Amino acid sequence: MQTGIDQGALLTGPLLGGLLLLAGPPLLMAVIAALAVTAAAGAQGHRDPMDHRPVPSSLLTGWRTVRSIPALGWLIGGLAASNLSLGVLQAATPITVIHQYHRSGVEAGTMWSLAAIASLFAVWAAHRAIGRWQVWPVGAAAAALSTAACLATALVPGFRSYTVVVAVLMAADGVLTVVLRTLRSRLIPARAFGSTLAVTIILLLLPFPTAGILVAAVPAASLPHLLLACAVVQGVVLSACFAGLRRHRAEGDPPSSPVRGSGPAPAPTAPANKQASDPAVPVDTP
């Protein structure tokens, strides 16, 4: 559900942004200000009456939990490399679309909306694929597809092919997000879920500012080479991570439930008192 909300926001955001750009900067700034005020007012209306005091050791507890679960550590490492490539692509796309393909910012927003539609369908299909083939094969296939699409973004010649490749990359990233959240719910113990979740989010968001720094430091003409390098790093790291995850596949499997009718029927228990169980035998009363 949460993944669908995230991908829906990715779908409507660029589309509305493109329409507001066509309407003019004043309307764009007014809508952004109104949304910010609405979000702030909504956050103030949902205060928890209980007093929550920050616990300094909560992040340390989450970090220790991540280190104690090898499968979760491997998964976070692989997805961090994938997020670095995705962040470089997102930061470089406006430059690539406008200067290399000579397209407008509105067309770039439309491209991201199409990619978000593909991601929504991928999220819908990922839940059903995981239920049929388990989480590890689906995650490995999505990782391979994401790496191939990231390589292709630096090599495609035209804007249409670039749009298709970005849509494939976003779809694979949506599947990886489903894989992460599925395994996270199975691997993290309930007593440390909040602190461990915070640590995983921090670790997975760190590549995005790093990607922005890389794009800012590299000339526009060298951005395809940067994407190629990120794709190679992503492929190597994801291959190592899923090779390591093979040794911990049992940790992420769903708990097995007993199948009805899959065992011998329990033997009937003999009554302790024949007289009490047989209505034909009279019971002596004192």
Side-chain angles (χ1 to χ4, degrees):
M1 181 64 181
Q2 185 180 359
T3 307
I5 293 174
D6 293 343
Q7 301 302 322
L10 288 175
L11 168 63
T12 57
L15 181 60
L16 292 178
L19 294 175
L20 290 173
L21 280 174
L22 291 176
L27 181 59
L28 174 64
M29 298 304 297
V31 171
I32 292 176
L35 291 175
V37 172
T38 303
Q44 290 180 358
H46 292 280
R47 289 180 177 177
D48 195 343
M50 298 180 64
D51 183 17
H52 292 284
R53 296 181 180 178
V55 180
S57 62
S58 58
L59 290 180
L60 182 59
T61 302
W63 173 248
R64 288 173 178 172
T65 305
V66 170
R67 292 183 60 186
S68 66
I69 305 175
L72 186 61
W74 281 114
L75 184 66
I76 291 175
L79 291 181
S82 178
N83 282 349
L84 178 63
S85 299
L86 183 62
V88 169
L89 176 68
Q90 290 177 344
T93 290
I95 303 172
T96 303
V97 170
I98 295 174
H99 295 283
Q100 181 176 344
Y101 298 121
H102 306 290
R103 302 287 179 150
S104 65
V106 176
E107 289 177 296
T110 304
M111 181 198 71
W112 283 117
S113 296
L114 294 175
I117 293 175
S119 184
L120 277 175
F121 280 107
V123 168
W124 174 81
H127 290 285
R128 287 150 182 80
I130 289 174
R132 183 173 181 179
W133 292 297
Q134 297 300 328
V135 67
W136 302 114
V138 175
L145 187 61
S146 175
T147 302
C150 188
L151 282 169
T153 54
L155 302 174
V156 291
F159 179 71
R160 291 184 179 179
S161 55
Y162 186 79
T163 301
V164 173
V165 170
V166 169
V168 173
L169 179 60
M170 291 298 294
D173 181 71
V175 176
L176 287 175
T177 302
V178 175
V179 169
L180 168 66
R181 291 178 177 175
T182 302
L183 288 176
R184 198 165 57 188
S185 63
R186 295 176 183 177
L187 294 173
I188 301 177
R191 56 181 175 79
F193 189 83
S195 57
T196 310
L197 179 63
V199 171
T200 59
I201 292 174
I202 292 173
L203 293 176
L204 291 175
L205 288 180
L206 283 177
F208 288 104
T210 305
I213 295 173
L214 290 176
V215 172
V218 171
S222 301
L223 287 178
H225 302 289
L226 177 61
L227 281 170
L228 280 175
C230 290
V232 171
V233 171
Q234 175 184 345
V236 172
V237 174
L238 283 174
S239 299
C241 288
F242 276 92
L245 285 170
R246 291 184 61 184
R247 300 192 297 267
H248 306 281
R249 294 184 64 171
E251 298 181 17
D253 291 337
S256 57
S257 58
V259 181
R260 184 176 298 177
S262 62
T269 57
N273 189 348
K274 173 63 177 175
Q275 294 180 343
S277 61
D278 192 353
V281 179
V283 180
D284 296 332
T285 57

